[in-house]
């Protein structure tokens, strides 16, 4: 159901968002709902999401209800009935949450869904347009003037706005120009890992056991030495998304490159045979270098006329599936902090509140993704044996301790991630420090 009373600002700002990824579209929907005039500039000539899956956790799916797209997305989702962590070599279950979908709804009041990225991006794009946002595709930003503020598109066109939003992802031009104002530069840094991303269609697979895996939606991890695999269904069980996370062997400076199905299978030699059976269906596959970036000092420009969100300011390892989810949170909070503006003069206070609500959390999630890598990638040995003993000791029990699978850690990481409510957080902040 739509947010029954979306607040609308007393003054409508002209907001230009750079990038129509999930973060940019979240900001577009949220800022349009708050009554502002929104223009999104997207460099790609067509919407650019890649043809792969995405885990959407309750902290983001609760926003879909507020944006009135939850029910429209439901038929496109797969809702995992269990989540399991397995030993890499034989698939033995180390940790299991049964009735995972019900557990999520009960605890967080919003679903855990696996979606095809293209479905989500298309739905958010359509909703943004429905709410009055304008989107220009093939409009690549080449430069930004943080004084005016204004931006220059490739081709020379100059556009002014009251507020610019840098949502242009890991390789952000906004970030490059922003740092240049301080005489600084930085660049995406290798994390040391890469991802093979695979999507299989159930109706192209004859093996009935594999089809059952796909039809009965679940989330499975296989944790191995220096690597892990995650697999889940998409589109109500029509498709299967598999991601292999492994040590990076791509040349320096190469972010994405075609891999071969045989080298990929070779890399999982000695792993659970069911994985090899899935991988035997792969014909083509790409390798993606996983990158991160140093923390920025600030996400807001000195004149409070520019703000960052998403991968442009907090790219992370995908090991907690929070990159997109947290960029959706960013966009939602941005919309909420500018929904109560009574005049443009209050914009600096609103953006300071946005930064205060988002920066610490975004950067903490980044750090947690590296901690998850440590726990999922342990080499066989005493530390791994201790980890497995702990996981096995909690089979069938409440996971009320610090747990190697943060996805299931009920005492700590899971409620911190999935329990986050962008709207409630902003309302509490506005109540304790209203704009003057
Ligand atoms: C293997 C893998 C699996 C993942 N799985 C998950 C998951 O399950 N759940 C999850 O939450 N996250 C996941 N992530 C992370 C997630 O994909 C990203 O964090 C998220 O998509 C970032 O969104 P964004 O909008 O900030 O950036 P992007 O999606 O990168 O969007 C940026 C947009 O800006 C445009 N752009 C760039 N430069 C310009 C310019 N100069 N002018 C105009 N437009 C420009 C781009 O074309 C693009 O459309 C995964 C990542 C990887 C690598």
């Amino acid at each position: 159901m739509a947010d029954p009373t979306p607040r609308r600002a007393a003054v409508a700002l002209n907001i230009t968002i750079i990038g129509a990824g999930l973060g940019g579209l979240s900001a577009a929907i949220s800022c349009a709902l708050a009554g502002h005039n929104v223009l999104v500039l997207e460099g790609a000539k067509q919407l650019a999401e890649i043809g792969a899956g995405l885990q959407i956790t309750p902290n983001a799916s609760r926003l879909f209800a507020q944006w009135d797209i939850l029910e429209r997305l439901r038929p496109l989702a797969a809702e995992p009935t269990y989540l399991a962590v397995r030993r890499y070599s034989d698939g033995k279950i180390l940790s299991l949450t049964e009735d995972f979908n019900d557990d999520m709804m009960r605890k967080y009041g919003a679903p855990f869904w696996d979606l095809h990225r293209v479905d989500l991006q298309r739905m958010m794009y359509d909703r943004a347009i429905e709410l009055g946002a304008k989107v220009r595709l093939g409009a690549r930003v080449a430069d930004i003037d943080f004084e005016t503020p204004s931006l220059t598109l490739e081709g020379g066109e100059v556009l002014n706005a009251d507020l610019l939003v840098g949502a242009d992802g890991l390789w952000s031009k906004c970030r490059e120009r922003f740092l240049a104002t301080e005489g600084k530069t930085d660049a995406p840094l290798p994390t040391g890992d890469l991802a093979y991303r695979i999507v299989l269609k159930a109706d192209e697979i004859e093996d009935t056991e594999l089809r059952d895996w796909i039809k009965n939606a679940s989330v499975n991890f296989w944790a191995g030495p220096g690597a892990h695999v995650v697999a889940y269904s998409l589109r109500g069980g029509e498709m299967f998304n598999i991601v292999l996370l492994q040590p990076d062997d791509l040349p320096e400076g190469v972010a994405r490159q075609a891999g071969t199905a045989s080298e990929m299978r070779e890399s999982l030699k000695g792993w659970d045979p069911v994985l090899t059976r899935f991988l035997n269906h792969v014909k083509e596959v790409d390798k993606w270098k996983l990158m991160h970036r140093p923390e920025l000092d600030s996400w807001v420009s000195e004149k409070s006329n520019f703000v960052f969100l998403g991968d442009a300011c907090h790219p992370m390892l995908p090991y907690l599936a929070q990159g997109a989810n947290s960029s959706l949170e960013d966009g939602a909070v941005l919309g909420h902090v500018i929904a109560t503006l009574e005049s443009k003069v209050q914009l600096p206070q609103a953006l300071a509140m946005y930064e205060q609500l988002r920066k610490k959390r975004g950067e903490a999630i980044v750090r947690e993704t590296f901690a998850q890598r440590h726990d999922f990638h342990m080499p066989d040995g005493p530390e791994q044996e201790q980890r497995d003993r702990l996981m096995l000791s909690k089979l069938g029990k409440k996971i009320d301790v610090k747990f190697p699978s943060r996805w299931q850690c009920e005492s700590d990481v899971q409620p911190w991630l999935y329990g986050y409510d962008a709207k409630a957080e902003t309302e509490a902040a506005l109540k304790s420090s209203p704009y003057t």
Side-chain angles (χ1 to χ4, degrees):
M1 212 211 326
D3 185 352
T5 52
R7 285 214 207 163
R8 293 176 76 82
V11 53
L13 302 179
N14 294 318
I15 300 177
T16 299
I17 299 166
I18 300 140
L22 299 176
L25 291 173
S26 163
I29 293 171
S30 194
C31 294
L33 277 170
H36 300 287
N37 307 315
V38 175
L39 170 65
V40 184
L41 301 172
E42 167 54 51
K45 293 202 169 69
Q46 293 168 343
L47 291 186
E49 265 305 346
I50 63 147
L54 190 68
Q55 310 234 58
I56 289 293
T57 51
N59 42 319
S61 66
R62 82 174 80 256
L63 303 173
F64 299 160
Q66 292 164 14
W67 298 339
D68 202 14
I69 55 173
L70 188 81
E71 293 313 319
R72 298 188 224 180
L73 280 168
R74 192 180 295 281
L76 301 169
E79 228 176 291
T81 52
Y82 73 83
L83 183 146
V85 181
R86 298 168 182 270
R87 178 157 168 80
Y88 73 98
S89 53
D90 55 6
K92 176 184 165 185
I93 287 185
L94 299 171
S95 174
L96 176 69
T97 305
E98 286 179 293
D99 301 322
F100 187 65
N101 50 346
D102 296 339
D103 187 50
M104 292 292 104
M105 277 306 291
R106 192 173 53 250
K107 286 203 287 218
Y108 305 113
F112 184 117
W113 277 351
D114 292 322
L115 286 166
H116 197 291
R117 284 170 178 264
V118 171
D119 292 343
L120 179 58
Q121 191 186 32
R122 168 58 58 183
M123 189 68 73
M124 289 178 64
Y125 172 87
D126 288 348
R127 184 64 179 134
I129 301 282
E130 219 173 76
L131 290 166
K134 308 252 179 314
V135 182
R136 279 179 62 180
L137 300 175
R140 184 163 293 279
V141 173
D143 202 1
I144 297 180
D145 176 346
F146 295 91
E147 291 291 317
T148 349
S150 65
L151 53 79
T152 309
L153 295 179
E154 280 180 1
E157 189 182 350
V158 177
L159 299 169
N160 293 294
D162 297 311
L163 175 63
L164 299 176
V165 181
D168 52 346
L170 175 70
W171 299 91
S172 174
K173 172 62 80 177
C174 296
R175 182 169 174 133
E176 179 201 303
R177 304 315 304 148
F178 184 83
L179 288 173
T181 62
E182 301 165 6
K184 294 186 193 161
T185 53
D186 74 1
L189 302 167
T191 58
D193 288 358
L194 65 72
Y196 285 96
R197 298 166 118 169
I198 299 146
V199 179
L200 299 173
K201 289 189 181 145
D203 61 13
E204 290 175 0
I205 292 179
E206 280 173 17
D207 183 325
T208 49
E209 194 196 337
L210 298 189
R211 284 170 72 103
D212 282 349
W213 275 76
I214 304 176
K215 294 277 172 206
N216 304 316
S218 59
V219 179
N220 280 279
F221 297 93
W222 286 259
H228 78 278
V229 175
V230 56
Y232 50 85
S233 305
L234 303 173
R235 288 195 181 143
E238 284 175 22
M239 290 177 158
F240 203 50
N241 192 78
I242 309 176
V243 190
L244 277 55
L245 295 314
Q246 305 201 342
D248 181 7
D249 62 1
L250 286 167
E252 206 183 311
V254 173
R256 181 182 173 180
Q257 187 173 282
T260 66
S262 57
E263 70 165 333
M264 180 189 63
R265 279 191 288 271
E266 186 63 22
S267 73
L268 285 196
K269 220 171 159 187
W271 286 53
D272 187 352
V274 79
L275 285 171
T276 314
R277 281 159 62 202
F278 272 119
L279 297 187
N280 283 338
H281 291 82
V282 177
K283 294 181 188 76
E284 293 173 346
V285 69
D286 275 354
K287 295 156 88 165
W288 304 70
K289 196 185 282 279
L290 299 177
M291 312 282 275
H292 70 129
R293 298 190 78 141
E295 291 178 8
L296 289 166
D297 293 337
S298 172
W299 289 4
V300 178
S301 65
E302 218 171 285
K303 296 217 156 160
S304 293
N305 53 25
F306 171 91
V307 65
F308 279 113
L309 60 75
D311 272 9
C313 54
H314 55 77
M316 58 186 74
L317 281 168
Y319 298 172
L320 294 170
Q322 286 303 311
N325 287 300
S326 61
S327 77
L328 296 180
E329 289 179 357
D330 290 340
V333 170
L334 181 62
H336 287 308
V337 297
I338 57 171
T340 53
L341 289 181
E342 281 164 10
S343 82
K344 276 189 197 175
V345 181
Q346 293 174 331
L347 186 56
Q349 293 175 66
L351 296 187
M353 182 173 288
Y354 166 81
E355 180 170 287
Q356 184 218 324
L357 286 168
R358 297 304 310 159
K359 190 167 185 294
K360 213 169 131 201
R361 177 172 167 87
E363 291 167 351
I365 298 174
V366 174
R367 289 192 289 277
E368 211 56 52
T369 66
F370 282 88
Q372 186 60 72
R373 169 165 74 180
H374 174 266
D375 285 343
F376 270 175
H377 289 195
M378 282 177 189
D380 283 345
E383 199 186 5
Q384 161 267 326
E385 284 165 15
Q386 198 184 350
R387 176 199 70 186
D388 293 0
R389 267 196 304 277
L390 172 58
M391 288 210 267
L392 289 167
S393 75
K394 288 292 175 184
L395 273 178
K397 296 187 189 140
K398 189 173 165 63
I399 299 176
D400 52 2
V401 292
K402 267 200 172 303
F403 202 61
S405 161
R406 285 155 182 74
W407 297 74
Q408 295 159 288
C409 172
E410 295 175 85
S411 67
D412 191 357
V413 183
Q414 191 194 75
W416 170 63
L417 286 177
Y418 303 172
Y420 187 86
D421 182 337
K423 188 174 179 213
E425 293 286 332
T426 319
E427 277 172 358
L430 282 166
K431 206 167 162 197
S432 72
S433 321
Y435 307 147
T436 51

